[in-house]
Coordinates of all heavy atoms in Angstrom, one line a residue:
M1 N 0.9 -1.2 0.0 CA 0.0 0.0 0.0 C 0.9 1.2 0.0 O 1.9 1.3 0.7 CB -0.9 0.0 1.2 CG -1.6 1.3 1.3 SD -3.2 1.5 2.0 CE -4.1 0.0 1.9
L2 N 0.5 2.2 -0.8 CA 1.3 3.5 -1.0 C 0.3 4.6 -0.5 O -0.9 4.6 -0.9 CB 1.7 3.6 -2.4 CG 2.6 4.7 -2.8 CD1 3.9 4.6 -2.0 CD2 2.9 4.8 -4.2
V3 N 0.8 5.5 0.3 CA 0.1 6.6 0.8 C 0.8 7.9 0.6 O 2.0 8.0 0.9 CB -0.2 6.5 2.3 CG1 -1.0 7.7 2.8 CG2 -0.9 5.2 2.6
K4 N 0.2 8.9 0.0 CA 0.8 10.2 -0.2 C -0.2 11.3 0.3 O -1.4 11.2 0.0 CB 1.2 10.5 -1.6 CG 2.3 9.6 -2.2 CD 3.6 10.0 -1.7 CE 4.7 9.1 -2.3 NZ 6.0 9.5 -2.1
E5 N 0.3 12.4 0.9 CA -0.5 13.5 1.3 C -0.3 14.7 0.4 O 0.9 14.9 0.0 CB -0.2 13.8 2.8 CG -1.2 14.8 3.3 CD -1.2 14.8 4.9 OE1 -0.6 13.9 5.5 OE2 -1.7 15.8 5.4
I6 N -1.3 15.4 0.1 CA -1.3 16.6 -0.8 C -2.3 17.6 -0.4 O -3.3 17.2 0.2 CB -1.4 16.2 -2.3 CG1 -1.1 17.4 -3.2 CG2 -2.7 15.6 -2.6 CD1 -0.9 17.1 -4.6
T7 N -2.1 18.8 -0.7 CA -3.0 19.9 -0.4 C -3.7 20.3 -1.7 O -3.0 20.5 -2.7 CB -2.4 21.1 0.3 OG1 -1.8 20.7 1.5 CG2 -3.4 22.2 0.5
V8 N -5.0 20.2 -1.7 CA -5.8 20.7 -2.9 C -5.7 22.2 -2.9 O -6.3 22.8 -2.0 CB -7.2 20.1 -2.8 CG1 -8.0 20.6 -4.0 CG2 -7.2 18.6 -2.7
T9 N -5.1 22.8 -3.9 CA -4.8 24.2 -3.9 C -5.7 25.0 -4.8 O -5.8 26.2 -4.6 CB -3.4 24.5 -4.3 OG1 -3.1 23.9 -5.6 CG2 -2.4 23.9 -3.3
N10 N -6.5 24.3 -5.7 CA -7.4 25.1 -6.5 C -8.5 25.7 -5.6 O -8.9 25.1 -4.6 CB -7.9 24.3 -7.7 CG -8.8 23.2 -7.3 OD1 -8.6 22.5 -6.3 ND2 -9.9 23.0 -8.1
Q11 N -9.0 26.8 -6.0 CA -10.0 27.6 -5.2 C -11.2 26.8 -4.8 O -11.7 26.9 -3.7 CB -10.4 28.8 -6.0 CG -9.3 29.8 -6.0 CD -9.7 31.1 -5.3 OE1 -10.5 31.7 -5.7 NE2 -9.2 31.5 -4.2
V12 N -11.8 26.0 -5.7 CA -13.1 25.4 -5.4 C -12.9 24.0 -4.9 O -13.9 23.4 -4.5 CB -14.0 25.4 -6.7 CG1 -14.4 26.8 -7.1 CG2 -13.3 24.7 -7.8
G13 N -11.7 23.5 -4.8 CA -11.5 22.1 -4.3 C -12.0 21.1 -5.3 O -11.9 21.2 -6.5
L14 N -12.6 20.0 -4.7 CA -13.0 18.9 -5.5 C -14.6 18.9 -5.7 O -15.3 18.1 -5.1 CB -12.6 17.5 -4.9 CG -11.3 17.0 -5.3 CD1 -11.0 15.7 -4.6 CD2 -11.2 16.7 -6.8
H15 N -15.1 19.9 -6.3 CA -16.5 20.0 -6.6 C -16.8 19.1 -7.8 O -15.9 18.4 -8.3 CB -17.0 21.5 -6.8 CG -16.5 22.1 -8.0 ND1 -17.1 22.0 -9.2 CD2 -15.4 22.8 -8.3 CE1 -16.4 22.6 -10.2 NE2 -15.4 23.2 -9.6
A16 N -17.9 19.2 -8.4 CA -18.4 18.2 -9.4 C -17.4 18.0 -10.6 O -17.0 16.9 -10.9 CB -19.7 18.6 -10.0
R17 N -17.0 19.1 -11.2 CA -16.1 18.9 -12.4 C -14.7 18.4 -12.1 O -14.3 17.4 -12.7 CB -16.0 20.3 -13.2 CG -15.3 20.1 -14.5 CD -15.3 21.4 -15.3 NE -14.5 21.3 -16.4 CZ -14.8 21.7 -17.6 NH1 -15.8 22.4 -17.8 NH2 -13.9 21.6 -18.6
P18 N -14.0 19.0 -11.1 CA -12.7 18.4 -10.8 C -12.8 17.0 -10.2 O -12.0 16.1 -10.5 CB -12.1 19.4 -9.8 CG -12.8 20.6 -10.0 CD -14.2 20.3 -10.5
A19 N -13.9 16.7 -9.5 CA -14.1 15.4 -8.9 C -14.3 14.4 -10.0 O -13.8 13.3 -10.0 CB -15.3 15.4 -8.0
T20 N -15.0 14.8 -11.1 CA -15.2 13.9 -12.3 C -13.8 13.6 -12.9 O -13.5 12.5 -13.2 CB -16.1 14.5 -13.3 OG1 -17.4 14.8 -12.6 CG2 -16.3 13.7 -14.5
F21 N -13.0 14.6 -13.1 CA -11.6 14.4 -13.6 C -10.8 13.4 -12.8 O -10.1 12.5 -13.2 CB -10.8 15.7 -13.8 CG -11.4 16.7 -14.8 CD1 -11.2 18.0 -14.6 CD2 -12.1 16.2 -15.9 CE1 -11.8 18.9 -15.5 CE2 -12.6 17.1 -16.8 CZ -12.4 18.5 -16.6
F22 N -10.9 13.6 -11.4 CA -10.2 12.8 -10.5 C -10.6 11.3 -10.6 O -9.8 10.4 -10.6 CB -10.5 13.4 -9.1 CG -9.6 12.7 -8.0 CD1 -8.3 13.2 -7.7 CD2 -10.1 11.6 -7.3 CE1 -7.5 12.6 -6.7 CE2 -9.3 11.0 -6.3 CZ -8.0 11.6 -6.0
I23 N -12.0 11.1 -10.7 CA -12.5 9.7 -10.7 C -12.1 9.1 -12.1 O -11.8 7.9 -12.1 CB -14.0 9.8 -10.5 CG1 -14.3 10.0 -9.0 CG2 -14.7 8.5 -10.9 CD1 -15.3 11.0 -8.8
Q24 N -12.2 9.8 -13.1 CA -11.8 9.3 -14.4 C -10.4 8.9 -14.4 O -10.0 7.8 -14.9 CB -12.1 10.3 -15.5 CG -13.5 10.6 -15.9 CD -13.7 11.7 -16.8 OE1 -12.9 12.6 -17.0 NE2 -14.9 11.7 -17.4
K25 N -9.5 9.7 -13.8 CA -8.1 9.3 -13.7 C -7.9 8.0 -12.8 O -7.2 7.1 -13.2 CB -7.3 10.5 -13.1 CG -5.8 10.3 -13.1 CD -5.3 10.3 -14.6 CE -3.9 10.4 -14.7 NZ -3.4 10.3 -16.1
A26 N -8.6 8.0 -11.7 CA -8.5 6.9 -10.8 C -9.0 5.6 -11.5 O -8.4 4.5 -11.3 CB -9.4 7.1 -9.5
N27 N -10.0 5.7 -12.3 CA -10.5 4.5 -13.0 C -9.5 4.0 -14.1 O -9.8 2.9 -14.7 CB -11.8 4.8 -13.6 CG -12.9 4.6 -12.6 OD1 -13.1 3.5 -12.0 ND2 -13.7 5.6 -12.3
E28 N -8.5 4.7 -14.4 CA -7.5 4.2 -15.4 C -6.6 3.2 -14.8 O -5.8 2.5 -15.5 CB -6.6 5.4 -15.9 CG -7.3 6.5 -16.7 CD -6.5 7.7 -17.1 OE1 -5.2 7.6 -16.9 OE2 -7.0 8.7 -17.6
Y29 N -6.6 3.0 -13.5 CA -5.7 2.1 -12.8 C -6.4 0.9 -12.3 O -7.6 0.9 -11.9 CB -5.0 2.8 -11.7 CG -4.3 4.0 -12.2 CD1 -4.8 5.3 -12.0 CD2 -3.1 3.9 -12.9 CE1 -4.2 6.4 -12.5 CE2 -2.4 5.1 -13.4 CZ -3.0 6.3 -13.2 OH -2.3 7.4 -13.7
K30 N -5.7 -0.3 -12.2 CA -6.3 -1.5 -11.7 C -6.3 -1.5 -10.1 O -7.1 -2.2 -9.5 CB -5.5 -2.7 -12.2 CG -5.6 -2.9 -13.7 CD -4.8 -4.0 -14.1 CE -4.8 -4.1 -15.7 NZ -3.9 -5.1 -16.2
S31 N -5.4 -0.8 -9.5 CA -5.3 -0.8 -8.1 C -6.6 -0.3 -7.4 O -7.3 0.5 -8.0 CB -4.1 0.1 -7.6 OG -2.9 -0.4 -8.0
S32 N -6.7 -0.7 -6.1 CA -7.8 -0.1 -5.3 C -7.3 1.2 -4.8 O -6.1 1.3 -4.4 CB -8.1 -1.0 -4.1 OG -8.6 -2.2 -4.5
I33 N -8.1 2.3 -5.0 CA -7.6 3.6 -4.6 C -8.6 4.3 -3.7 O -9.8 4.2 -4.0 CB -7.4 4.5 -5.9 CG1 -6.5 3.8 -6.9 CG2 -6.8 5.9 -5.5 CD1 -6.5 4.4 -8.3
W34 N -8.1 5.0 -2.7 CA -9.0 5.7 -1.8 C -8.5 7.1 -1.6 O -7.3 7.4 -1.8 CB -9.0 5.0 -0.4 CG -9.4 3.6 -0.4 CD1 -10.7 3.1 -0.3 CD2 -8.6 2.5 -0.5 NE1 -10.7 1.7 -0.4 CE2 -9.4 1.3 -0.5 CE3 -7.2 2.2 -0.7 CZ2 -8.9 0.0 -0.7 CZ3 -6.8 1.0 -0.8 CH2 -7.6 -0.1 -0.8
V35 N -9.4 8.0 -1.2 CA -9.1 9.4 -0.8 C -9.5 9.5 0.7 O -10.6 9.0 1.1 CB -9.8 10.4 -1.6 CG1 -9.5 11.8 -1.2 CG2 -9.6 10.2 -3.1
E36 N -8.6 10.1 1.5 CA -8.9 10.3 2.9 C -8.8 11.7 3.3 O -7.8 12.4 2.9 CB -7.9 9.4 3.7 CG -8.2 9.4 5.2 CD -7.3 8.4 5.8 OE1 -7.4 7.2 5.6 OE2 -6.4 8.9 6.6
K37 N -9.8 12.2 4.0 CA -9.8 13.5 4.6 C -10.2 13.5 6.0 O -11.3 12.9 6.3 CB -10.7 14.4 3.8 CG -10.9 15.8 4.4 CD -12.0 16.6 3.7 CE -12.5 17.7 4.6 NZ -13.8 18.2 4.2
E38 N -9.3 14.0 6.9 CA -9.7 14.0 8.3 C -10.1 12.6 8.9 O -11.1 12.5 9.6 CB -10.7 15.1 8.6 CG -10.2 16.5 8.3 CD -11.3 17.5 8.3 OE1 -12.5 17.2 8.5 OE2 -11.0 18.7 8.1
G39 N -9.4 11.6 8.4 CA -9.7 10.3 8.9 C -10.8 9.5 8.3 O -11.1 8.4 8.5
R40 N -11.5 10.2 7.4 CA -12.7 9.6 6.6 C -12.2 9.1 5.3 O -11.6 10.0 4.5 CB -13.8 10.5 6.5 CG -15.0 9.9 6.0 CD -16.3 10.7 6.3 NE -17.4 10.1 5.5 CZ -17.9 10.8 4.5 NH1 -17.5 12.0 4.2 NH2 -18.8 10.2 3.7
R41 N -12.3 7.9 4.9 CA -11.8 7.3 3.7 C -12.9 6.9 2.8 O -13.9 6.2 3.2 CB -10.9 6.1 4.0 CG -10.2 5.5 2.8 CD -9.3 4.3 3.2 NE -8.3 4.7 4.1 CZ -7.4 3.9 4.6 NH1 -7.4 2.6 4.4 NH2 -6.5 4.3 5.5
V42 N -12.8 7.2 1.5 CA -13.8 6.8 0.5 C -13.1 6.3 -0.8 O -11.9 6.5 -1.0 CB -14.7 8.0 0.1 CG1 -15.5 8.5 1.2 CG2 -14.0 9.1 -0.6
N43 N -13.8 5.5 -1.5 CA -13.3 4.9 -2.8 C -13.1 6.1 -3.8 O -14.0 6.9 -4.1 CB -14.3 4.0 -3.3 CG -13.9 3.3 -4.6 OD1 -13.0 3.7 -5.3 ND2 -14.6 2.2 -4.9
A44 N -11.9 6.2 -4.3 CA -11.5 7.3 -5.2 C -12.2 7.1 -6.6 O -12.2 8.0 -7.4 CB -10.0 7.4 -5.4
K45 N -12.8 6.0 -6.8 CA -13.4 5.7 -8.1 C -15.0 5.9 -8.0 O -15.7 5.7 -8.9 CB -13.1 4.2 -8.5 CG -11.7 4.0 -8.8 CD -11.4 2.6 -9.2 CE -9.9 2.4 -9.3 NZ -9.5 1.0 -9.8
S46 N -15.4 6.5 -6.9 CA -16.8 6.8 -6.7 C -17.0 8.3 -6.6 O -16.6 8.9 -5.7 CB -17.3 6.1 -5.4 OG -18.5 6.7 -4.9
L47 N -17.8 8.8 -7.6 CA -18.1 10.2 -7.6 C -18.9 10.7 -6.3 O -18.5 11.6 -5.6 CB -19.0 10.6 -8.8 CG -19.3 12.1 -8.9 CD1 -18.1 12.9 -9.0 CD2 -20.2 12.3 -10.1
L48 N -19.8 9.9 -5.9 CA -20.6 10.2 -4.7 C -19.7 10.2 -3.4 O -19.8 11.1 -2.6 CB -21.8 9.3 -4.5 CG -22.8 9.6 -3.4 CD1 -23.3 11.0 -3.7 CD2 -23.9 8.6 -3.4
G49 N -18.8 9.2 -3.4 CA -17.9 9.1 -2.3 C -17.0 10.3 -2.2 O -16.8 10.9 -1.1
V50 N -16.4 10.7 -3.3 CA -15.4 11.8 -3.3 C -16.1 13.1 -3.0 O -15.7 13.9 -2.2 CB -14.7 11.9 -4.7 CG1 -13.9 13.1 -4.8 CG2 -13.8 10.6 -4.9
L51 N -17.3 13.3 -3.6 CA -18.1 14.5 -3.3 C -18.5 14.6 -1.8 O -18.5 15.7 -1.2 CB -19.3 14.6 -4.2 CG -19.0 14.9 -5.7 CD1 -20.3 14.8 -6.5 CD2 -18.3 16.3 -5.9
S52 N -18.8 13.4 -1.2 CA -19.2 13.4 0.2 C -18.2 13.9 1.2 O -18.5 14.3 2.3 CB -19.7 12.0 0.6 OG -18.6 11.1 0.8
L53 N -16.9 13.9 0.8 CA -15.8 14.4 1.6 C -15.8 15.9 1.8 O -15.3 16.4 2.7 CB -14.5 13.9 1.1 CG -14.2 12.4 1.3 CD1 -12.8 12.1 0.7 CD2 -14.2 12.0 2.7
G54 N -16.5 16.6 0.8 CA -16.6 18.1 0.9 C -15.2 18.7 0.9 O -14.9 19.6 1.7
I55 N -14.4 18.3 -0.1 CA -13.0 18.8 -0.2 C -13.0 20.2 -0.8 O -13.4 20.3 -2.0 CB -12.1 17.8 -1.0 CG1 -12.1 16.5 -0.3 CG2 -10.7 18.4 -1.1 CD1 -11.5 15.4 -1.1
V56 N -12.6 21.2 -0.1 CA -12.6 22.6 -0.6 C -11.1 23.0 -0.8 O -10.2 22.3 -0.4 CB -13.3 23.6 0.4 CG1 -14.8 23.3 0.5 CG2 -12.7 23.5 1.7
G57 N -10.9 24.2 -1.3 CA -9.6 24.6 -1.6 C -8.7 24.7 -0.3 O -9.3 24.9 0.8
N58 N -7.4 24.4 -0.4 CA -6.5 24.4 0.7 C -6.8 23.4 1.7 O -6.6 23.6 2.9 CB -6.4 25.8 1.3 CG -5.8 26.8 0.3 OD1 -4.8 26.5 -0.3 ND2 -6.4 28.0 0.3
T59 N -7.4 22.2 1.3 CA -7.6 21.1 2.2 C -6.6 20.1 1.9 O -6.2 19.7 0.8 CB -9.0 20.5 1.9 OG1 -10.0 21.5 2.1 CG2 -9.3 19.3 2.7
S60 N -6.1 19.5 3.0 CA -5.1 18.4 2.9 C -5.8 17.1 2.8 O -6.7 16.8 3.6 CB -4.2 18.4 4.1 OG -3.2 17.4 4.0
I61 N -5.4 16.3 1.8 CA -6.0 14.9 1.6 C -4.9 13.9 1.5 O -3.8 14.2 1.2 CB -6.9 14.9 0.4 CG1 -6.1 15.1 -0.9 CG2 -8.1 15.8 0.5 CD1 -6.9 14.8 -2.2
K62 N -5.2 12.7 1.7 CA -4.3 11.6 1.5 C -4.9 10.7 0.3 O -6.1 10.5 0.2 CB -4.2 10.7 2.7 CG -3.4 11.3 3.8 CD -3.3 10.3 5.0 CE -2.6 11.0 6.1 NZ -2.6 10.2 7.3
I63 N -4.0 10.3 -0.6 CA -4.3 9.4 -1.7 C -3.7 8.1 -1.3 O -2.4 8.0 -1.1 CB -3.9 9.9 -3.0 CG1 -4.6 11.3 -3.3 CG2 -4.1 8.9 -4.1 CD1 -4.0 12.0 -4.5
L64 N -4.4 7.0 -1.3 CA -3.9 5.7 -1.0 C -4.2 4.7 -2.1 O -5.3 4.8 -2.7 CB -4.6 5.2 0.3 CG -4.6 6.0 1.5 CD1 -5.8 7.0 1.6 CD2 -4.7 5.2 2.8
A65 N -3.3 3.9 -2.4 CA -3.5 2.9 -3.5 C -2.8 1.6 -3.1 O -1.8 1.5 -2.4 CB -2.9 3.4 -4.8
D66 N -3.5 0.5 -3.5 CA -3.0 -0.8 -3.2 C -3.3 -1.7 -4.4 O -4.4 -1.9 -4.8 CB -3.7 -1.4 -2.0 CG -3.1 -2.7 -1.5 OD1 -1.9 -2.9 -1.8 OD2 -3.8 -3.5 -0.8
G67 N -2.2 -2.2 -5.0 CA -2.3 -3.0 -6.2 C -1.1 -3.0 -7.1 O 0.0 -2.4 -6.7
T68 N -1.2 -3.6 -8.2 CA 0.0 -3.8 -9.1 C 0.5 -2.5 -9.7 O 1.7 -2.4 -9.9 CB -0.4 -4.7 -10.3 OG1 -1.5 -4.2 -11.0 CG2 -0.7 -6.1 -9.8
D69 N -0.4 -1.5 -9.8 CA 0.1 -0.2 -10.4 C -0.1 0.9 -9.4 O -0.4 2.1 -9.8 CB -0.7 0.1 -11.7 CG -2.2 0.1 -11.6 OD1 -2.7 -0.2 -10.5 OD2 -2.9 0.4 -12.6
E70 N 0.0 0.6 -8.1 CA -0.2 1.6 -7.1 C 0.7 2.8 -7.2 O 0.2 4.0 -7.0 CB -0.1 1.0 -5.7 CG 1.3 0.5 -5.3 CD 1.3 -0.3 -4.0 OE1 0.3 -0.9 -3.6 OE2 2.4 -0.3 -3.4
Q71 N 1.9 2.7 -7.6 CA 2.9 3.8 -7.8 C 2.4 4.7 -8.9 O 2.3 5.9 -8.7 CB 4.3 3.3 -8.0 CG 5.3 4.5 -8.1 CD 5.5 5.1 -6.8 OE1 5.9 4.5 -5.8 NE2 5.3 6.4 -6.7
Q72 N 2.0 4.1 -10.0 CA 1.6 4.9 -11.1 C 0.3 5.6 -10.8 O 0.0 6.8 -11.2 CB 1.4 4.1 -12.4 CG 2.6 3.5 -12.9 CD 2.9 2.1 -12.3 OE1 2.5 1.8 -11.2 NE2 3.6 1.2 -13.1
A73 N -0.6 5.0 -10.1 CA -1.9 5.5 -9.7 C -1.7 6.7 -8.8 O -2.3 7.8 -9.0 CB -2.8 4.5 -9.0
V74 N -1.0 6.6 -7.7 CA -0.7 7.7 -6.8 C 0.0 8.9 -7.6 O -0.4 10.0 -7.4 CB 0.1 7.3 -5.6 CG1 0.5 8.5 -4.7 CG2 -0.8 6.3 -4.7
D75 N 1.0 8.6 -8.3 CA 1.7 9.6 -9.1 C 0.8 10.4 -10.0 O 0.8 11.6 -10.1 CB 2.9 9.0 -9.8 CG 4.0 8.6 -8.9 OD1 4.0 9.0 -7.7 OD2 4.9 7.9 -9.4
G76 N 0.0 9.6 -10.7 CA -1.0 10.2 -11.7 C -2.0 11.1 -11.0 O -2.3 12.2 -11.5
L77 N -2.5 10.7 -9.9 CA -3.5 11.5 -9.2 C -2.9 12.7 -8.5 O -3.5 13.8 -8.5 CB -4.2 10.6 -8.2 CG -5.2 9.6 -8.8 CD1 -5.7 8.6 -7.8 CD2 -6.4 10.3 -9.5
L78 N -1.7 12.5 -8.0 CA -0.9 13.7 -7.4 C -0.7 14.8 -8.5 O -0.9 15.9 -8.3 CB 0.4 13.3 -6.8 CG 0.3 12.5 -5.5 CD1 1.7 12.0 -5.1 CD2 -0.3 13.3 -4.4
K79 N -0.3 14.3 -9.7 CA 0.0 15.2 -10.8 C -1.3 16.0 -11.2 O -1.3 17.2 -11.4 CB 0.5 14.4 -12.0 CG 1.1 15.3 -13.1 CD 1.7 14.4 -14.1 CE 2.4 15.2 -15.2 NZ 3.0 14.4 -16.2
L80 N -2.4 15.3 -11.2 CA -3.7 15.9 -11.5 C -4.1 17.0 -10.5 O -4.5 18.1 -10.8 CB -4.8 14.9 -11.6 CG -6.2 15.4 -11.9 CD1 -6.2 16.0 -13.3 CD2 -7.2 14.3 -11.8
V81 N -3.9 16.7 -9.2 CA -4.3 17.6 -8.1 C -3.3 18.8 -8.2 O -3.7 20.0 -8.1 CB -4.2 16.9 -6.8 CG1 -4.3 17.9 -5.6 CG2 -5.2 15.8 -6.6
E82 N -2.0 18.5 -8.4 CA -1.0 19.6 -8.5 C -1.3 20.6 -9.7 O -1.0 21.8 -9.6 CB 0.4 19.1 -8.6 CG 0.9 18.4 -7.3 CD 2.2 17.6 -7.5 OE1 2.6 17.4 -8.7 OE2 2.7 17.2 -6.5
S83 N -1.9 20.0 -10.7 CA -2.2 20.9 -11.9 C -3.4 21.8 -11.7 O -3.7 22.6 -12.5 CB -2.5 20.0 -13.1 OG -3.8 19.4 -13.1
G84 N -4.1 21.6 -10.6 CA -5.3 22.4 -10.3 C -6.5 21.9 -11.1 O -7.4 22.6 -11.4
F85 N -6.4 20.6 -11.6 CA -7.4 20.0 -12.4 C -7.6 20.7 -13.7 O -8.7 20.6 -14.3 CB -8.8 19.9 -11.6 CG -8.6 19.1 -10.3 CD1 -8.4 19.8 -9.2 CD2 -8.7 17.8 -10.3 CE1 -8.2 19.2 -8.0 CE2 -8.5 17.1 -9.1 CZ -8.3 17.8 -7.9
A86 N -6.6 21.4 -14.2 CA -6.5 22.1 -15.5 C -7.7 23.0 -15.7 O -8.3 23.1 -16.7 CB -6.4 21.0 -16.6
E87 N -8.1 23.7 -14.6 CA -9.2 24.6 -14.7 C -8.7 26.0 -14.8 O -7.7 26.4 -14.3 CB -10.1 24.5 -13.5 CG -11.0 23.3 -13.5 CD -12.2 23.5 -12.6 OE1 -12.1 24.1 -11.5 OE2 -13.3 23.0 -12.9

């Protein structure tokens, strides 16, 4: 299992559109992937789950992955978050 922490820096956080990009990216990988905020963990491949965390700008989250491509999954999602979801 691989765990990385990152701060979501874009102004709106993970609202509907960035959350959709995040889930689409997560679904590119075979590994099980989760997002954790303040001890609450949800499936990163679930739109409802990710939205339920209420991730706003300047919030710290953890991205966790477990599986054959866990390193690529975490790296890809970190890169997406760092880009500000290209908004």
Side-chain angles (χ1 to χ4, degrees):
M1 171 147 339
L2 187 60
V3 180
K4 295 283 183 171
E5 190 164 343
I6 188 166
T7 299
V8 178
T9 57
N10 67 319
Q11 287 244 296
V12 293
L14 271 176
H15 69 86
R17 188 176 172 141
T20 300
F21 294 149
F22 189 86
I23 286 135
Q24 288 172 341
K25 188 68 169 175
N27 277 301
E28 293 176 11
Y29 305 102
K30 294 178 183 172
S31 294
S32 296
I33 308 169
W34 302 273
V35 180
E36 188 175 292
K37 175 189 157 199
E38 298 170 354
R40 186 157 168 252
R41 185 180 296 180
V42 298
N43 183 343
K45 297 179 182 183
S46 162
L47 180 60
L48 191 57
V50 172
L51 289 175
S52 74
L53 289 178
I55 300 167
V56 295
N58 295 316
T59 299
S60 182
I61 62 170
K62 289 182 183 172
I63 298 172
L64 306 88
D66 190 22
T68 56
D69 57 356
E70 63 188 31
Q71 183 69 57
Q72 295 93 328
V74 170
D75 289 346
L77 290 168
L78 287 175
K79 190 173 183 179
L80 179 64
V81 172
E82 288 168 351
S83 77
F85 303 93
E87 284 199 322

